[in-house]
Amino acid sequence: MDLIKAEDISYSFKEYDEEGNVTGARTAVDHLSITVPAGTFLAVLGRNGSGKSTFAKHLNALLIPQEGTVYVDGIDTSKAKDMLLIRRNVGMVFQNPDNQIVSTVIEEDVAFGPENLGVPHGELEDRVYSSLEKVGMSEYASNSPTKLSGGQKQRIAIAGVLAMKPKAVVFDEATAMLDPKGRREVMAALKKLHEEGITIIHITHHMEEASEAERVIIINDGKVVMDGTPQEVFGNHAEAEKYGLRAPNAVLLRDMLKDGGMRLGEHIALDEKELAMQIASHLRGGEDD
Amino acid sequence: MIRNITLGQYYPAKSRIHALDPRVKLFATFIFLISLFVNDSFTGYIFIIACFGMVIRVSRVPLGYMIRGLKGIIFIMCFSVIINIFITEGQVLLSFWIFKITLEGLIRAAYFAIRLILLILGSSLMTYTTTPNSLTDGLEKSLGFLTYLRVPVHDFATMIGIALRFIPVLSEEADRIIKAQEARGADFTQGNLMKRVKGMIPLIIPLLISAFRRAEDLALALDARCYNKEKWRTKLHPLKYSRADVAAYILLLLYLGTVIASKYAFEYMGFV
Ligand SMILES: Nc1ncnc2c1ncn2[C@@H]1O[C@H](COP(=O)(O)OP(=O)(O)O)[C@@H](O)[C@H]1O
Ligand SMILES: [Mg+2]
């Protein structure tokens, strides 16, 4: 079943001059269509300003398409009466770790979403502490978020979303401001949610993160321009480069080796380790896969 | 330098006062304030100070710590005491040029000073013994009835909560900007007042820009986490009265009753 279905959606921002007069419109999402089956781990790539965030905001009714329709779990996002249901079903983790924590106490921050939804008290406690447990932050429950690292703050934000029991979580460049350690922590939490059956939509600039997804799309000028498995998308890196992206190093190296005459199998290795195994087996003799 | 701002300063300790429900403490502050304005006799002040002294003892907030909090009002207090001394008519004790000091003036000034000091100490005892968070909760609950007059009480409580959350974030950011600007030769500490105010501009502008950007992000985050106007909202740690809270309410009413009764008793007996 398709959890998310966008049908030919468009959204443009008005542009203003210094006096505040409308001078034009900038199309951020341009007749975009996509369906995301429940349980998918989808990575979204594209250069800055290509419309990824604008697209993401359509998935939980933060924006309503000016043309076309978005369905979340079969519900049209433009129906105002279902807005809270949609936002509960599709949680969102943003880029800046500080700007999405609303409370001075971690457990109260995690409780913020379910409190707004009126979850009864006993269940509320269960949800808060089990969400903190899932992201490995239980021991900090009654602390202030101020002293945490970026990765820890993002995990709190993830716990806050989890406490709403979402069907999907959108990560809008949630790893972009983190150091490598923080990124690993967030990716670990993200994969754990995916294993539990939650649909993941991960917007990122890191190809290694995208290559862990089941499906990758590239957005350019508000349209989906490439869509497939990481192997399919990165395998065609000549095209991906047109959209300002650079395939993972392993893919580029594999192509160089092939150009240099090494006969590697059809399988496209996405990381160095996988490629090294391929080369090793090639060198050992013959059978290429 | 900006870190020194302490808002809603809290003195962490384990005491019965700390453990009281914030609504009780808000009510207590209100009752204390009324008692100060009702009372106008010397014996009354002795009673009030004795009661207040006991509360301070129980709260385990050191007296020195409390008195330090008065520093900020010394100027305003001296000013009003002097005004009170000179403008009150009555039995003249001393006079020079156009000034007269009267007995009534001295008494009024003394009462005024005592009232002001107790007022400040009383309300600071509340902030010393209540975390900003539970103070906000207490205010939201106590003022909940205003919702019926269409006052967005919960929105205000959320705003205060978010402000408390972002004070350390912004002050850290201010420190960062100061260091960056100082590295480029800006000086925030020297020159006359005008120069120093001007010197703050390279701090204020980037801080404001960043605060607005944060506010925009935060608005999205609130929406994404289902912030709404419905009344069904629940709480992770709902306020609940304990027996101690009930006892405190009774004591407070007894206290106010005593202050009011003694005022009329004294008047009846002819002393004031
Ligand atoms: N609030 C806004 N007001 C005006 N223009 C905007 C706004 N948000 C985004 N845009 C414009 O829409 C386009 C897409 O932006 P965005 O969706 O943020 O891209 P991405 O997330 O891929 O970097 C950009 O050209 C951007 O300038
Ligand atoms: Mg973006």
Side-chain angles (χ1 to χ4, degrees):
Chain A
M1 149 122 207
D2 292 331
L3 183 65
I4 287 165
K5 186 165 168 192
E7 281 181 347
D8 207 25
I9 60 169
S10 297
Y11 194 95
S12 46
F13 292 99
K14 292 198 176 82
E15 287 181 326
Y16 300 90
D17 63 9
E18 271 152 36
E19 276 98 50
N21 305 310
V22 178
T23 54
R26 172 178 298 239
T27 305
V29 171
D30 189 8
H31 297 282
L32 182 152
S33 297
I34 188 173
T35 56
V36 184
T40 311
F41 176 2
L42 170 71
V44 180
L45 302 173
R47 56 165 72 99
N48 279 332
S50 57
K52 304 181 297 295
S53 295
T54 310
F55 163 65
K57 284 175 197 155
H58 281 84
L59 303 181
N60 66 344
L62 288 175
L63 290 178
I64 305 297
Q66 290 159 343
E67 287 172 46
T69 321
V70 178
Y71 297 95
V72 172
D73 209 14
I75 301 166
D76 180 346
T77 60
S78 66
K79 298 272 185 295
K81 73 171 173 42
D82 294 324
M83 190 177 70
L84 288 178
L85 180 64
I86 287 162
R87 290 188 180 161
R88 190 187 79 195
N89 280 338
V90 182
M92 206 151 179
V93 181
F94 298 90
Q95 181 174 19
N96 188 316
D98 264 319
N99 299 355
Q100 48 190 323
I101 295 179
V102 298
S103 175
T104 47
V105 182
I106 287 173
E107 59 188 7
E108 286 179 15
D109 186 76
V110 175
F112 184 76
E115 280 178 357
N116 287 334
L117 294 165
V119 172
H121 187 253
E123 194 192 335
L124 181 59
E125 279 190 334
D126 285 352
R127 285 193 188 192
V128 168
Y129 298 115
S130 71
S131 304
L132 280 169
E133 176 92 49
K134 258 181 214 149
V135 298
M137 292 294 290
S138 299
E139 56 188 303
Y140 296 91
S142 54
N143 292 15
S144 147
T146 317
K147 298 253 152 51
L148 300 181
S149 71
Q152 288 175 320
K153 283 179 190 161
Q154 288 301 61
R155 277 145 73 198
I156 298 300
I158 294 172
V161 167
L162 275 186
M164 298 194 293
K165 298 224 161 149
K167 294 186 172 152
V169 180
V170 180
F171 293 80
D172 189 356
E173 299 194 30
T175 56
M177 290 177 72
L178 305 181
D179 57 10
K181 180 163 175 285
R183 260 166 51 204
R184 276 197 302 276
E185 290 169 10
V186 169
M187 284 307 288
L190 180 155
K191 278 187 263 176
K192 200 162 171 188
L193 305 195
H194 178 231
E195 277 159 23
E196 289 184 6
I198 296 176
T199 308
I200 305 287
I201 295 163
H202 182 42
I203 302 175
T204 181
H205 286 295
H206 293 284
M207 299 307 140
E208 320 84 73
E209 291 174 11
S211 42
E212 296 189 37
E214 296 165 331
R215 176 178 170 196
V216 175
I217 62 171
I218 296 178
I219 292 184
N220 193 55
D221 284 340
K223 292 191 250 301
V224 177
V225 287
M226 290 183 84
D227 183 349
T229 63
Q231 273 83 9
E232 285 163 0
V233 171
F234 294 133
N236 190 357
H237 56 82
E239 187 173 354
E241 262 162 39
K242 283 197 298 196
Y243 308 119
L245 298 167
R246 189 172 177 277
N249 286 329
V251 177
L252 299 176
L253 179 59
R254 176 181 174 278
D255 273 23
M256 287 180 217
L257 292 171
K258 282 186 92 165
D259 287 348
M262 189 184 268
R263 291 203 342 272
L264 294 168
E266 280 310 302
H267 177 75
I268 297 171
L270 293 171
D271 64 29
E272 283 84 353
K273 201 169 157 197
E274 214 182 333
L275 180 65
M277 304 268 281
Q278 245 183 355
I279 297 172
S281 97
H282 172 78
L283 292 179
R284 265 202 312 274
E287 109 272 16
D288 280 350
D289 254 294
Chain B
M1 74 188 197
I2 292 203
R3 292 253 179 91
N4 295 338
I5 301 170
T6 52
L7 199 124
Q9 38 198 309
Y10 174 67
Y11 183 87
K14 279 200 171 6
S15 82
R16 290 191 186 190
I17 308 290
H18 284 75
L20 285 176
D21 189 290
R23 287 167 291 182
V24 175
K25 285 183 267 188
L26 282 165
F27 182 70
T29 311
F30 183 61
I31 292 286
F32 188 63
L33 202 138
I34 293 177
S35 75
L36 286 179
F37 284 100
V38 166
N39 175 62
D40 51 11
S41 72
F42 186 67
T43 32
Y45 278 123
I46 292 182
F47 174 70
I48 290 176
I49 291 172
C51 292
F52 186 52
M54 268 187 322
V55 175
I56 294 180
R57 265 307 273 279
V58 176
S59 76
R60 300 205 174 146
V61 180
L63 197 62
Y65 196 83
M66 298 223 37
I67 289 171
R68 234 179 296 151
L70 288 174
K71 258 196 275 177
I73 57 146
I74 285 180
F75 173 75
I76 220 170
M77 197 167 76
C78 292
F79 183 75
S80 14
V81 163
I82 290 169
I83 295 272
N84 263 304
I85 290 178
F86 288 120
I87 63 162
T88 312
E89 300 288 324
Q91 183 188 344
V92 179
L93 294 179
L94 201 77
S95 78
F96 54 95
W97 193 34
I98 54 167
F99 298 114
K100 299 190 294 279
I101 295 181
T102 62
L103 180 65
E104 284 79 2
L106 280 179
I107 294 175
R108 244 177 88 163
Y111 276 13
F112 183 84
I114 293 175
R115 250 180 211 168
L116 196 62
I117 291 174
L118 287 175
L119 196 80
I120 303 288
L121 288 182
S123 42
S124 53
L125 185 63
M126 178 179 66
T127 54
Y128 284 144
T129 58
T130 319
T131 61
N133 236 338
S134 75
L135 199 60
T136 314
D137 282 355
L139 270 173
E140 182 181 358
K141 265 275 182 190
S142 307
L143 301 179
F145 67 93
L146 289 176
T147 316
Y148 297 106
L149 304 174
R150 302 234 176 136
V151 179
V153 178
H154 179 73
D155 287 339
F156 281 121
T158 309
M159 274 159 60
I160 297 174
I162 287 176
L164 290 171
R165 153 89 183 100
F166 277 88
I167 286 171
V169 176
L170 289 175
S171 81
E172 214 171 86
E173 178 149 29
D175 278 351
R176 241 194 340 262
I177 296 172
I178 288 174
K179 288 209 185 89
Q181 304 283 25
E182 276 176 350
R184 294 186 211 158
D187 191 345
F188 295 101
T189 54
Q190 273 172 24
N192 58 21
L193 187 66
M194 204 46 213
K195 220 169 159 185
R196 274 204 241 175
V197 170
K198 263 197 190 150
M200 293 303 261
I201 291 175
L203 166 65
I204 303 287
I205 301 288
L207 199 57
L208 268 182
I209 290 174
S210 129
F212 279 116
R213 188 165 308 139
R214 286 181 195 279
E216 215 175 308
D217 282 4
L218 203 59
L220 274 179
L222 289 180
D223 276 340
R225 287 167 76 186
C226 298
Y227 191 71
N228 64 66
K229 293 210 167 304
E230 305 291 341
K231 293 202 176 54
W232 58 48
R233 182 173 289 102
T234 46
K235 247 185 131 44
L236 180 63
H237 298 305
L239 292 177
K240 261 208 295 277
Y241 283 125
S242 68
R243 270 201 216 132
D245 296 316
V246 178
Y249 272 128
I250 295 172
L251 284 175
L252 282 166
L253 291 175
L254 283 176
Y255 162 82
L256 186 65
T258 312
V259 173
I260 292 174
S262 71
K263 175 185 161 108
Y264 289 107
F266 284 137
E267 268 173 20
Y268 183 72
M269 286 187 291
F271 6 102
V272 170

